[in-house]
Amino acid sequence: MNKSELVSAMAEKAELSKKDTEKALKAFEEVVMQELKNEGKIQLVGFGTFEVSFRQERKGRNPKTNEEITIPGCKVPKFKAGKALKDIVNS
């Protein structure tokens, strides 16, 4: 499902116009991105949690030259599915 299909499905389910639904989805995306940028956490009970995790610096290898390199640490967005979502997927 791509973004336009998601907007259509959400609009139908919520009985809203596609334009209003697209605005709501865009607002949701912006709020999640801003909160994660500020290293916050968004918890939607039953659905899941969006949070930031730090990946430690590690050693790697360049596959072309076989040279050992250091991969720098970085922040990564992370989503952990909630129980209700897991139950629906596994049913």
Side-chain angles (χ1 to χ4, degrees), residues 3 22-38 42 50:
K3 188 173 183 176
E22 192 166 359
K23 280 184 188 177
L25 181 60
K26 186 169 177 62
F28 174 76
E29 290 172 349
E30 289 172 0
V31 169
V32 169
M33 286 189 268
Q34 187 61 46
E35 188 64 22
L36 294 180
K37 180 181 177 185
N38 297 331
I42 297 178
F50 296 92

Side-chain angles (χ1 to χ4, degrees), residues 2-57:
N2 62 31
K3 188 173 183 176
S4 63
E5 292 169 336
L6 176 61
V7 168
S8 295
M10 288 173 57
E12 187 177 316
K13 188 85 168 179
E15 298 177 357
L16 296 171
S17 71
K18 285 184 182 179
K19 188 175 182 178
D20 289 342
T21 305
E22 192 166 359
K23 280 184 188 177
L25 181 60
K26 186 169 177 62
F28 174 76
E29 290 172 349
E30 289 172 0
V31 169
V32 169
M33 286 189 268
Q34 187 61 46
E35 188 64 22
L36 294 180
K37 180 181 177 185
N38 297 331
E39 295 186 37
K41 177 177 170 177
I42 297 178
Q43 202 167 4
L44 304 172
V45 177
F47 183 72
T49 304
F50 296 92
E51 60 188 336
V52 176
S53 176
F54 186 76
R55 189 175 290 162
Q56 295 291 328
E57 182 178 277

